[in-house]
Amino acid sequence: MTQMKSPNQPREIHVLGLSGGRDSASLAVWMRQNRPEIDIKYFFTDTGKELKEVYDYLGELEGFIGKPIERLNADRDFDFWLKQYGHFLPSPRTRWCTRKLKIEPFEHWLKPELEAGTIVHSYVAIRADEPDRSGMIATHPNMKVHFPLREAGLDKAAVIELLDSSGLGLPAYYRWRSRSGCTFCFYQQKIEWVRLMREHPDAFEEAKSYEKSALEHGSPFTWTQKESLDELARPERVAQIEKDYDLRVARRKAKQLANPLRARLSEIDIDEVYGVPEAASGCLTCHK
Ligand code: SF4
């Protein structure tokens, strides 16, 4: 029976952030299939530096959920903030990009609702096999955070199966890269930089030009540890990175028990080969 709402009860809204990644997409699918009565506002915070595949996948997702995904843009773009930060590239230790281009636009979007006393239910894609992840912390007493995938017991294999059975499948970039987010995200492994160079040479060149300007402005940091992208792109270095990756995959495969019932799980992804960078594992906004 539907309960009548008293006129004094606060307004409630439901929001679900999509990163263009696997887990948030599977959460949207799960909510559509299991909680269709909830009127969810879907959103995507756009840094303006995302992969083309992310935009394509969001389009497919809109078709599946039958609703538009609101694009939230920061008032100022990456180039503006880069200048403000003295051309120092963002890094795991000074991750100004996530705050300025992902978190603040989200907070700005919700501010009028929270100030008006609205209860905001936020749905976050933490899986059942991620017990150590606490997820987005509610920063306002009217914000209620929910973890439906975890509560429903869905692990990594289950979210992949869910996306497969919905017909959406995985975002196309999973073929060569482990997570969503900016083309030049510093959480990329070296093999992913090599692949970015092949898949999106223009984006690789853009990343190189940001790095050059950072070095010219006195920043000691490059996108990837201990070498510039110019150095990484040298043919002999590329061959070395690819050889190292192939070796790690072979070692990992040798250890892994084949599981014919969960064939997709037996595919090795980049995070399994190198481990998830600790700070990236905490970044729900960009990479979920
Ligand atoms: S995807 Fe990477 S570079 Fe982009 S905002 Fe997130 S942490 Fe920063």
Side-chain angles (χ1 to χ4, degrees), residues 16-17 21-28 122-128 130 133 135 145-150 159 284 287-288:
L16 194 161
R22 176 190 63 206
D23 293 347
S24 59
S26 69
L27 177 57
S122 175
Y123 297 86
V124 177
I126 296 201
R127 306 184 312 253
E130 299 176 303
R133 295 183 72 163
V145 182
H146 306 272
F147 307 109
L149 297 179
R150 176 184 278 173
V159 303
L284 299 167
H287 306 305
K288 255 298 180 179

Side-chain angles (χ1 to χ4, degrees), residues 231-244:
E231 289 164 328
L232 177 141
R234 291 194 325 261
E236 62 277 19
R237 179 66 182 128
V238 168
Q240 200 180 32
I241 291 168
E242 290 183 319
K243 192 175 164 200
D244 171 72

Side-chain angles (χ1 to χ4, degrees), residues 47 95 97-98 102 180-182 184-187 283 286-287:
T47 62
R95 216 174 66 203
C97 48
T98 311
K102 292 275 182 185
S180 53
C182 302
F184 45 63
C185 184
F186 43 84
Y187 286 124
C283 183
C286 302
H287 306 305

Side-chain angles (χ1 to χ4, degrees), residues 78 82 86-89 184 193 204-224 227-231 233:
F78 179 83
L82 184 63
H87 294 265
F88 273 48
L89 300 175
F184 45 63
W193 282 108
F204 188 79
E205 288 304 315
E206 185 184 43
K208 264 170 55 177
S209 69
Y210 281 129
E211 197 174 67
K212 277 191 186 129
S213 115
L215 295 171
E216 280 163 17
H217 284 84
S219 163
F221 305 118
T222 47
W223 286 119
T224 177
E227 62 189 334
S228 68
L229 292 183
D230 263 339
E231 289 164 328

